[in-house]
Amino acid sequence: MLSASSAPVVASADTVIEVCDVRTRFGTAVVHDGVSLGVRRGEIFALAGASGCGKSTLLREIILLQRPESGSIRVFGKDVIGLSDEEALPLRRHWGVMFERGALFGALTVAENVGLPLREHTRLGDRFIDEIAAVKIALTGLPPSAGARHPAELSGGMRKRAALARAIALDPSLLFLDEPTAGLDPLSASGFDDLVRHLKDLLGLTILMITHDLDLLWRVADRVAFMVDGRIAGVGTMQELAGSELPLIREYFHGPRGRGAREQAWKRR
Amino acid sequence: MPPSAPEALERDADVEIDAAAVRCVGAWTVGSIATLEGRLSRLAWPSDRELVIDASGVVAMDTAGAWLLRRTMQALEREGRTVRVEGLRSEHRALADLLATPAVAAAVAGQPATPGWLARLGRAAVQTVTQSLEMLSFVGEASLVALRSIARPARIRWRPILYNVRTAGFDALPISGLLCFLMGIVIAYQGATQLRRYGANIFVADLVGLAMLRELSPLLTAIIVAGRSGSAYAAQIGTMKVTEEVDALRTVGIAPIELLVLPKIAALAIALPLLTVYADVLGVAGGMVMAKTELDVGYEDFLDRLQYALRLSDFLVGIGKAPVFAAIIALVGCFQGFQVVGDAESVGHRTTVSVVQSIFLVIVADAAFSVVFNAIGI
């Protein structure tokens, strides 16, 4: 199904995130010119598009770090725009965010980073929290020794995994990933693909990710929204998008790199 | 509450123990297990060697809940019992099985212990010694680069030197001037009460002149510059290290010390003595104002007396210390900047250390100067 850019999203109980006609401007630069999309429960939804097309800004608006000029954003059926910090807390406890560069706290070790949300939001004992942190670190595929190290001592790939471990610390039902594979070597990146799939199945997550990694799009995403110049140019599975007639999408998916990624994905599946 | 959180409507996790069975009930999720976790160790488990836990009452489970179950089982097994969990829903069973894998066990067991006080003390001692050695080698390296650069004056970078003279010197004029003016007032005021008692009002000029020129102006100026510029040097170089700009300089064939350190030392060595002269003038002016209002010593009398009270050497002693202070401040600031490793936290820490260390060393050097000048009689 390829929907037009501003078609209203059909609301249903199974829609976790609903973005409706969002418009954003920085000064005179229009970032979002009526963006609408819906993310269903239990799917991995990817937001793709060229750099600077407004993907990250949309993510920041959904997770309450920024306010759009107009439009509505509903997460778990609740309108998030203009929520106070206090009202937003229950929502924030139910989602985890992994930032592009990890955003791990440099003063804390990896284990402390992962344990921080637990210490902040639960009344669990210190030892139990340490153990859960160790479990989460193991789930993301890091070696046990990583927990005691500071983020600055980790490689880029390990830092991404540590950031993911912190994002799932509170067992969220919704996970946001901002460029999860950016800056990783192909091997680490494909390891990350598997990890995301695995965690999603295991923890029953709904995932919204931003990426322009074609491998990730082909192999992991259930549905993809393609953003061009602040509008959603198309939504659908990668198959559907690849068959799209829109020149910009064609260019994106049928360039030399796009074809390679597709062939790889076919071989693996 | 979001619809994805049905556990919010469920009861908290609990373990019911009666004669017939052990039953796990409720939502075993991160938000609902805190009470149970607190009292789990005090539960009265049945004494059977073979324990069957009925988990069919568990309505929700996440990794935290699964880990609590797993850990409880481990504790019971350590007591020599065999434990079996029955009735777990399939998706919860998958989670529980995952946490039973060796990788997870290794991760939890592999948490390193926090080091004891002796280990921490030893580590701190070693760190202090290596820091001092590194500082020494940094000074050596900077001197070498400086000599090389003096041998080839065409390579001296005038623009950053001038820029640093402006930011560290000219821009510091208001604050250092004001501070020394106030210091002159304070000294004259403190002296006034004593001097008036002996009718020695005119000697206020000696007091203010000697104190400001020999000691206070150079010292105060150095402390202000250490706080203003030394910290800025540490933060600038530290941030450049974090963003790998220092490494980038090396790769394009520019020695970081030549570009980042030498101009700062040169600039401070020029700016600090000039600032000190300016501080001398304002300090004496402050004393003059106070002498007039408190002791009725007119400006003309004051300046007249000042000429008799001060020798040229008094002035030069004060000014002569300034370049040494400048070198200390610039070297410590830059050194601490280069000591930054990793992240923003480290930049903040090193900046603080640079200010504390340079002020400390400036005062130590000042004390050493006093001893030396006293010994040679100037």
Side-chain angles (χ1 to χ4, degrees):
Chain A
M1 165 206 77
L2 263 164
S3 66
S5 59
S6 56
V9 176
V10 183
S12 77
D14 260 2
T15 310
V16 178
I17 303 174
E18 247 183 283
V19 176
C20 202
D21 200 26
V22 161
R23 283 163 206 279
T24 314
R25 259 189 310 192
F26 292 145
T28 53
V30 177
V31 181
H32 298 138
D33 187 17
V35 172
S36 299
L37 54 86
V39 179
R40 301 172 196 146
R41 184 181 310 284
E43 73 176 345
I44 300 184
F45 189 93
L47 206 51
S51 306
C53 69
K55 300 180 305 241
S56 289
T57 308
L58 187 63
L59 177 73
R60 291 175 59 83
E61 287 169 354
I62 296 173
I63 60 178
L64 291 161
L65 294 177
Q66 217 163 306
R67 266 182 90 149
E69 206 172 80
S70 67
S72 81
I73 298 175
R74 298 170 77 82
V75 182
F76 297 126
K78 192 166 179 171
D79 208 329
V80 300
I81 295 173
L83 278 189
S84 70
D85 278 351
E86 215 169 297
E87 293 165 320
L89 189 62
L91 281 176
R92 287 190 163 132
R93 284 191 50 165
H94 282 91
W95 71 49
V97 184
M98 180 189 147
F99 288 91
E100 183 175 353
R101 269 163 300 190
L104 293 161
F105 305 116
L108 308 177
T109 63
V110 169
E112 287 166 342
N113 261 291
V114 178
L116 183 75
L118 292 158
R119 268 176 241 285
E120 198 61 32
H121 292 306
T122 68
R123 291 172 294 114
L124 296 168
D126 270 348
R127 262 207 57 196
F128 190 68
I129 288 178
D130 288 342
E131 287 172 4
I132 297 184
V135 169
K136 297 284 153 84
I137 289 169
L139 283 184
T140 50
L142 286 170
S145 59
R149 287 157 72 183
H150 284 267
E153 301 164 325
L154 300 180
S155 69
M158 289 171 87
R159 222 173 294 165
K160 293 259 184 191
R161 284 168 192 264
L164 185 61
R166 188 180 67 188
I168 59 169
L170 280 172
D171 279 294
S173 44
L174 175 59
L175 191 60
F176 295 97
L177 307 174
D178 190 358
E179 299 283 5
T181 54
L184 294 187
D185 65 275
L187 205 63
S188 311
S190 86
F192 212 91
D193 298 350
D194 299 336
L195 179 63
V196 170
R197 267 255 163 241
H198 177 66
L199 284 178
K200 186 231 144 191
D201 293 339
L202 192 75
L203 307 176
L205 294 166
T206 306
I207 297 179
L208 172 61
M209 65 179 176
I210 289 182
T211 186
H212 41 228
D213 177 348
L214 283 157
D215 282 313
L216 194 65
L217 288 173
W218 274 111
R219 295 190 49 209
V220 178
D222 296 321
R223 284 198 309 149
V224 178
F226 193 79
M227 236 172 138
V228 178
D229 295 336
R231 294 172 147 271
I232 302 286
V235 185
T237 63
M238 279 299 274
Q239 289 300 328
E240 289 164 351
L241 279 184
S244 161
E245 293 304 315
L246 285 165
L248 266 165
I249 300 183
R250 283 191 70 80
E251 221 172 282
Y252 194 85
F253 291 109
H254 296 275
R257 300 179 68 116
R259 272 202 304 277
R262 183 181 190 176
E263 280 155 20
Q264 281 298 313
W266 277 116
K267 274 183 213 155
R268 287 211 188 95
R269 272 195 177 174
Chain B
M1 195 46 61
S4 75
E7 70 268 29
L9 309 171
E10 312 286 349
R11 52 183 293 201
D12 280 2
D14 202 358
V15 178
E16 292 170 349
I17 300 174
D18 57 33
V22 177
R23 278 187 301 273
C24 294
V25 293
W28 287 57
T29 56
V30 66
S32 321
I33 55 172
T35 323
L36 177 63
E37 195 257 327
R39 65 189 184 87
L40 204 55
S41 55
R42 297 194 300 276
L43 279 184
W45 296 98
S47 53
D48 315 356
R49 292 196 59 77
E50 280 191 26
L51 210 58
V52 177
I53 297 177
D54 175 13
S56 53
V58 174
V59 291
M61 184 177 262
D62 61 10
T63 43
W67 177 248
L68 187 66
L69 185 63
R70 172 83 206 137
R71 165 188 211 263
T72 310
M73 286 168 64
Q74 279 175 343
L76 291 169
E77 277 162 1
R78 267 198 299 276
E79 292 172 9
R81 304 182 218 232
T82 47
V83 185
R84 213 148 38 84
V85 177
E86 281 182 351
L88 213 53
R89 290 188 205 169
S90 61
E91 67 266 31
H92 300 161
R93 167 71 62 189
L95 207 53
D97 287 347
L98 180 88
L99 297 190
T101 53
V104 171
V108 175
Q111 290 186 81
T114 42
W117 69 270
L118 195 63
R120 285 203 302 271
L121 182 71
R123 213 169 285 168
V126 170
Q127 228 166 41
T128 313
V129 172
T130 41
Q131 273 272 294
S132 318
L133 288 178
E134 275 171 24
M135 175 80 193
L136 207 61
S137 82
F138 179 76
V139 172
E141 202 182 338
S143 313
L144 270 181
V145 179
L147 285 179
R148 226 181 299 150
S149 152
I150 289 168
R152 293 166 61 194
R155 284 188 64 101
I156 295 178
R157 296 164 196 275
W158 295 105
R159 193 177 282 272
I161 292 180
L162 290 176
Y163 171 78
N164 277 304
V165 167
R166 197 191 80 202
T167 53
F170 182 77
D171 293 350
L173 282 177
I175 178 72
S176 57
L178 176 67
L179 218 67
C180 283
F181 185 79
L182 293 174
M183 192 43 84
I185 287 180
V186 168
I187 290 178
Y189 186 75
Q190 291 297 325
T193 38
Q194 307 297 325
L195 292 171
R196 200 186 289 126
R197 210 179 289 171
Y198 300 101
N201 292 14
I202 188 66
F203 288 105
V204 71
D206 297 51
L207 176 68
V208 171
L210 282 175
M212 289 312 299
L213 263 61
R214 286 189 73 108
E215 284 296 332
L216 290 174
S217 292
L219 201 58
L220 279 176
T221 318
I223 288 174
I224 291 167
V225 169
R228 271 187 93 250
S229 304
S231 58
Y233 296 164
Q236 183 216 343
I237 295 177
T239 312
M240 287 180 74
K241 259 207 94 175
V242 171
T243 54
E244 294 180 311
E245 285 172 61
V246 172
D247 297 331
L249 276 179
R250 280 205 187 93
T251 57
V252 294
I254 299 172
I257 290 195
E258 193 187 308
L259 183 70
L260 298 176
V261 179
L262 289 189
K264 294 189 170 73
I265 297 177
L268 268 199
I270 297 167
L272 199 57
L274 294 176
L275 266 182
T276 307
V277 174
Y278 172 74
D280 284 346
V281 173
L282 282 184
V284 169
M288 256 164 66
V289 169
M290 211 58 202
K292 170 131 184 173
T293 54
E294 281 289 306
L295 294 169
D296 289 326
V297 176
Y299 295 151
E300 232 165 274
D301 296 335
F302 188 99
L303 289 175
D304 216 31
R305 176 64 209 168
L306 204 61
Q307 282 187 16
Y308 288 105
L310 294 178
R311 292 166 298 165
L312 180 63
S313 64
D314 294 324
F315 171 71
L316 291 181
V317 158
I319 301 300
K321 290 193 249 187
V324 178
F325 294 167
I328 290 176
I329 294 166
L331 279 171
V332 169
C334 295
F335 171 69
Q336 291 297 344
F338 279 111
Q339 288 298 101
V340 165
V341 265
D343 49 30
E345 150 100 30
S346 175
V347 175
H349 172 67
R350 288 296 167 187
T351 307
T352 314
V353 170
S354 86
V355 175
V356 173
Q357 253 181 24
S358 51
I359 291 178
F360 172 77
L361 288 177
V362 160
I363 293 176
V364 168
D366 191 50
F369 272 124
S370 297
V371 173
V372 172
F373 290 148
N374 199 30
I376 60 176
I378 50 173

